[in-house]
């Protein structure tokens, strides 16, 4: 069964060799493609900088590893376990910092 995750969904996966328990879907669901751009979620490991926003999934803290973003076939994505829509500002700020070097649209 092919998964159809939505933008900022936290999903399980079936990717061999990837030990991250979850992936965050960064690609908007209205973009037709056989892949989704995703970033792995890891437990905090000392790299909790401005490009690794914090998410809580089932009561546990994770960090979105935006530096490890990659395309993944939708066939390798599993079920949606959470939504990160409430963390949208932190995620988009981190993406802006990664791509442009500064937060866009918000003053800190």
């Amino acid at each position: 069964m092919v998964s159809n995750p939505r933008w900022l969904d936290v999903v399980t996966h079936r990717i061999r060799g990837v030990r991250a328990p979850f992936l965050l879907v960064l690609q908007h669901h209205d973009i037709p493609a056989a892949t989704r751009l995703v970033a792995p979620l890891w437990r905090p490991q000392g790299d909790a900088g401005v490009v690794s926003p914090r998410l809580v999934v089932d009561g546990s803290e994770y960090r979105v590893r935006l530096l490890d973003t990659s395309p993944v076939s939708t066939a390798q994505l599993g079920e949606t376990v959470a939504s990160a829509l409430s963390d949208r500002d932190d995620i988009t700020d981190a993406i802006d910092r990664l791509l442009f070097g500064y937060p866009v649209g918000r003053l800190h």
Side-chain angles (χ1 to χ4, degrees):
M1 175 184 225
V2 175
S3 177
N4 192 23
R6 299 181 65 77
W7 179 60
L8 298 183
D9 276 354
V10 175
V11 299
T12 61
H13 63 85
R14 295 179 283 281
I15 305 170
R16 292 178 194 232
V18 174
R19 294 183 311 198
F22 304 111
L23 301 173
L24 176 66
V25 177
L26 299 173
Q27 179 177 322
H28 197 274
H29 50 271
D30 285 341
I31 298 172
T35 60
R36 291 286 190 275
L37 192 61
V38 299
L41 271 61
W42 290 100
R43 295 293 188 124
Q45 299 174 345
D47 62 345
V50 294
V51 294
S52 296
R54 176 183 179 268
L55 292 183
V56 175
V57 178
D58 290 334
S60 296
E61 180 180 338
Y62 293 89
R63 293 287 177 165
V64 181
R65 293 278 306 167
L66 292 174
L67 292 172
D68 295 330
T69 297
S70 64
V72 170
S73 167
T74 55
Q76 292 180 301
L77 300 178
E79 70 178 280
T80 298
V81 296
S83 172
L85 280 174
S86 64
D87 298 294
R88 174 186 175 168
D89 288 344
D90 291 340
I91 295 165
T92 56
D93 282 353
I95 292 169
D96 286 343
R97 284 181 185 268
L98 179 65
L99 297 179
F100 306 112
Y102 60 91
V104 176
R106 283 182 35 176
L107 298 175
H108 292 273

